[in-house]
Amino acid sequence: MRGWFTAGACHAGDRAGGGYDRPVAALSRADVEHVAFLARLGLTADELDRLEGQLNHILEQYAKLTELDTSAIPPTAQTIELENILRDDVATPSLAPDQVLSNAPQRDGEFIVVPPILGGDGG
Amino acid sequence: MGDPLTRLPGHALASALRAGVTSSREIVEASLALAERHNRALNAWLTIDRDRALAEADAADARLAAARGEGSDAVAALHPLLGLPVALKDLVSLAGGQCTAGSRILEGYVAPYDAHITERLREVGAVILGKTNMDEFAMGSSNEWSAFGPVSNPWDLDRVPGGSSGGSATAVAAGHVPFGIGTDTGGSIRQPAALTGVVGMKPTYGRVSRYGIVAFASSLDQIGPFARDTRDAAALLHAVAGRDERDSTSAPVSVPDELLQLASRDDEAAAYLQGKRLGLPREYFVAGMEPGVEAGIREAVRALEAAGATVEEVSLPHTDYGLATYYIVAPAEASANLARYDGVRYGLSVREAGGDFIADYLATRGAGFGPEVKRRIMLGTYALSAGYYDAFYVKAQKVRTLIKRDFDNVFGAGIDALVAPTSPTVAFQFGARIADPVSMYLSDACTLPVNMAGLPGVSVPCGLSDGLPVGLQLIGPAWSELELLRLGRGYEAVTAGAPWRGVEPAQLRLADERDAATPMERRAALAGA
């Protein structure tokens, strides 16, 4: 897995600089593999082949945005202009542990069994 | 065809209930029978919970009887949805019910609690008939991306009902229920409403709490109603809208009770159109729009003018940039939201023998997500990745500002609402757009700018093109749902006598046949042809 990551640790950085008004660069097969790994998607060779073509076709559509000069335009993250809303800090009943854990794939009493995170190759 | 009860709008059923002509149990039994009979041919429902629905119907009948005992004020205080069946899109949590969001990764997941809107529907005494089919995680415009098979459009069983809320739209169009709940991130209520010939509204962002709803793109997602007319759509919106402190984006804006009093008389409803200033955005008449759709919209405009509204051409100059902007912002937010499906706490879990936890994530997500969801996660991850964040995500958010300003300028200049097509085409055949993601994305060209700007929009039926429904979209300023629904009601009133108004979905009878082909079989036959 780590090998894959290294191999795919592609050229993202190289192309980034100021990329605002540049045409969108095409994604290579290695880029597609790298993005799939970042997204934690295990994809088959067929899926990677198909995605390489499709993603590039979609990225071509993105290039349209470079027509617009947005240097003086503020970004919009949300539209209804709400200010931060804080609720009162009041204790309310919550779900029973059994309900919360009812969908866990592997359980041990009131715990969810998880794969080891520390140690081994994955850490 | 169905029991006559299943063809009546909710407001007529509510009157019949109060007059003692029928009972909630009788209505719900008719609904269940029709939904179950049609499900082989339509595949609109992923879950139908007969026992719970009948128990809720009996509870509603008891509540009505108790109110009768207290007097006419108590009966008048009951919500018009009391005792009436509602379809929930299968991404709305219903405690104890499966909630798949149309995905294998959530197959068998049972919601431990109710969504806010589920609580609200219970409070008013509505009966939840079951959960409806949808594109996986609400990503799609045809319902063909459901992991549990496509849905057939009751107007032509070889065609899609639109998406992503295709199951709820179909359940309402086919008469299974008078009310359906959908969600709309880029058109997922309005486009299927147009393609199935029903009313569908996307409210203002923040109008309805999203607590307990499976998230897709959090700055765009909004819950809204399907119904067969505007009065019912308004009543369902009234039931579910309003501030909920568990969703910090649900807005502290009051919900007008006038939503329950849309004019019942056609002359009164039509009078609302008098003097209204409507804008026709020229950019919405895009290349690729079918002539039959354009003709339907132009005829609707003439009907609105004849009723005393003025319709003037306006410009939303950044419309053309909507698609690219949306397909950066929505996948970016989706890739973050869908990171939670890790196979550890709930949902599908594939553990690789001898592998580490990363291998488990890769295997679980690789097996659990379908092609469109994977594509969007990839797009979003790329757009947010180091070095591309400014070029894609921030750039798209800036263009989003321009799109929103286009609408602000038009409404600021005194336009009451915009009239536009909902979808550039009528319902298309299975397989027509599945191989080319961009052609599928174009299905929402006329709806997604409205989500980008956070505005309300409603699609109302405005005729048929070659026997398939066309939808008219009305778009208003933030919080103008009541005004939009009144406009829609006015349009219904002035076209009440139009010949297409009485036409029922053409292939409903076929859907009733015991050995009807399933949508999966139809799709396969078309793919082989």
Side-chain angles (χ1 to χ4, degrees):
Chain A
M1 243 5 94
R2 199 171 275 157
W4 191 10
F5 184 85
T6 314
C10 64
H11 327 289
D14 306 347
R15 293 210 200 107
Y20 262 74
D21 292 301
R22 259 190 223 177
V24 179
L27 279 175
S28 70
R29 168 69 176 239
D31 294 335
V32 175
E33 288 180 9
H34 172 62
V35 174
F37 183 74
L38 289 178
R40 300 296 187 261
L41 288 174
L43 301 176
T44 64
D46 273 357
E47 285 179 313
L48 290 165
D49 286 344
R50 257 197 312 278
L51 276 167
E52 186 182 340
Q54 290 171 339
L55 294 179
N56 277 310
H57 184 39
I58 295 165
L59 292 180
E60 285 165 22
Q61 319 300 313
Y62 289 178
K64 183 162 181 62
L65 298 186
T66 60
E67 293 169 9
L68 294 171
D69 177 5
T70 52
S71 48
I73 307 295
T76 293
Q78 62 107 337
T79 48
I80 54 172
E81 289 153 24
L82 280 180
E83 296 295 323
N84 282 342
I85 295 177
L86 302 176
R87 63 170 169 75
D88 294 333
D89 188 17
V90 179
T92 53
S94 48
L95 294 175
D98 254 353
Q99 286 173 289
V100 176
L101 297 169
S102 59
N103 285 292
Q106 287 183 48
R107 246 181 99 169
D108 180 3
E110 292 204 343
F111 298 95
I112 294 172
V113 177
V114 302
I117 304 294
L118 298 175
D121 289 344
Chain B
M1 198 133 333
D3 189 294
L5 283 174
T6 59
R7 295 313 304 167
L8 289 175
H11 50 84
L13 291 170
S15 303
L17 269 181
R18 282 155 185 72
V21 180
T22 186
S23 64
S24 173
R25 187 171 185 100
E26 199 175 18
I27 293 166
V28 170
E29 278 179 346
S31 275
L32 285 165
L34 190 64
E36 287 166 348
R37 252 191 0 257
H38 278 172
N39 215 34
R40 177 185 164 82
L42 298 181
N43 199 31
W45 299 83
L46 295 178
T47 320
I48 299 176
D49 196 337
R50 171 172 271 277
D51 293 344
R52 202 205 37 248
L54 289 173
E56 288 178 5
D58 289 343
D61 284 329
R63 198 163 150 187
L64 178 58
R68 278 211 185 90
E70 288 173 42
S72 56
D73 284 355
V75 175
L78 295 170
H79 197 277
L81 261 69
L82 175 75
L84 302 185
V86 181
L88 288 185
K89 185 176 183 177
D90 202 26
L91 47 49
V92 180
S93 296
L94 169 69
Q98 182 178 239
C99 189
T100 67
S103 181
R104 290 274 171 228
I105 214 162
L106 283 175
E107 191 172 13
Y109 168 81
V110 175
Y113 58 89
D114 278 341
H116 176 74
I117 66 160
T118 308
E119 290 176 354
R120 296 292 293 267
L121 289 168
R122 288 188 200 279
E123 280 164 26
V124 301
V127 175
I128 294 161
L129 207 71
K131 309 286 292 291
T132 54
N133 206 342
M134 55 181 287
D135 283 299
E136 185 176 7
F137 285 104
M139 299 176 192
S141 309
S142 70
N143 219 108
E144 292 170 286
W145 291 124
S146 167
F148 307 105
V151 173
S152 273
N153 189 320
W155 292 85
D156 178 344
L157 301 182
D158 280 340
R159 290 175 189 264
V160 305
S164 66
S165 314
S168 284
T170 296
V172 171
H176 307 165
V177 282
F179 300 104
I181 287 287
T183 57
D184 190 316
T185 304
S188 284
I189 293 173
R190 289 159 290 156
Q191 184 255 13
L195 270 48
T196 59
V198 301
V199 175
M201 171 171 251
K202 181 209 105 70
T204 311
Y205 182 79
R207 181 58 105 173
V208 182
S209 164
R210 294 174 295 121
Y211 176 78
I213 309 293
V214 178
F216 162 15
S218 299
S219 82
L220 303 165
D221 295 345
Q222 188 51 204
I223 296 154
F226 287 102
R228 289 194 294 275
D229 67 25
T230 49
R231 290 174 66 193
D232 278 0
L236 178 54
L237 177 63
H238 182 270
V240 298
R243 168 90 183 123
D244 163 31
E245 68 174 22
R246 294 167 299 184
D247 174 0
S248 61
T249 66
S250 82
V253 175
S254 65
V255 179
D257 286 334
E258 289 92 331
L259 285 168
L260 297 180
Q261 290 135 25
L262 248 51
S264 57
R265 284 179 38 188
D266 282 346
D267 53 352
E268 196 189 325
Y272 182 76
L273 299 173
Q274 190 69 46
K276 287 287 174 290
R277 267 185 77 189
L278 305 176
L280 194 65
R282 75 172 67 95
E283 293 84 2
Y284 280 53
F285 292 84
V286 292
M289 171 164 299
E290 288 174 354
V293 171
E294 175 155 1
I297 303 302
R298 302 272 180 206
E299 194 178 318
V301 165
R302 282 192 292 278
L304 291 164
E305 286 176 328
T310 59
V311 183
E312 56 204 273
E313 194 170 276
V314 298
S315 177
L316 300 168
H318 296 94
T319 300
D320 244 12
Y321 301 94
L323 195 75
T325 308
Y326 179 85
Y327 277 97
I328 293 171
V329 172
E333 294 183 10
S335 73
N337 272 326
L338 271 59
R340 73 189 67 184
Y341 300 99
D342 57 6
V344 174
R345 293 156 301 158
Y346 52 83
L348 180 73
S349 179
V350 183
R351 302 224 171 151
E352 295 279 278
D356 63 7
F357 68 100
I358 302 264
D360 291 349
Y361 293 156
L362 291 167
T364 296
R365 293 162 63 81
F369 291 133
E372 182 61 25
V373 172
K374 286 175 176 166
R375 199 149 42 234
R376 304 238 190 150
I377 291 175
M378 291 288 287
L379 282 171
T381 303
Y382 180 64
L384 293 175
S385 63
Y388 290 94
Y389 180 81
D390 283 341
F392 290 122
Y393 191 66
V394 175
K395 177 82 183 183
Q397 284 191 316
K398 290 180 168 191
V399 181
R400 186 175 184 179
T401 304
L402 296 173
I403 292 170
K404 184 170 185 296
R405 282 182 187 169
D406 283 354
F407 286 104
D408 291 346
N409 291 340
V410 167
F411 295 130
I415 294 289
D416 294 306
L418 296 165
V419 288
T422 305
S423 159
T425 71
V426 295
F428 45 94
Q429 283 198 331
F430 289 130
R433 298 185 191 168
I434 210 84
D436 177 2
V438 173
S439 76
M440 186 73 85
Y441 297 170
L442 281 165
S443 309
D444 292 329
C446 299
T447 46
L448 52 82
V450 180
N451 300 72
M452 300 303 302
L455 302 175
V458 63
S459 180
V460 296
C462 73
L464 299 171
S465 168
D466 291 332
L468 295 167
V470 177
L472 173 73
Q473 186 178 201
L474 301 164
I475 303 160
W479 318 115
S480 69
E481 289 87 352
L482 175 63
E483 289 72 22
L484 286 181
L485 287 161
R486 281 177 169 162
L487 285 173
R489 175 71 193 105
Y491 174 72
E492 278 172 1
V494 298
T495 53
W500 52 267
R501 277 275 174 212
V503 180
E504 293 217 331
Q507 295 197 342
L508 263 187
R509 209 169 291 275
L510 212 53
D512 226 354
E513 288 174 9
R514 199 194 276 271
D515 57 351
T518 66
M520 288 71 97
E521 290 163 350
R522 290 179 182 280
R523 174 169 67 180
L526 284 165

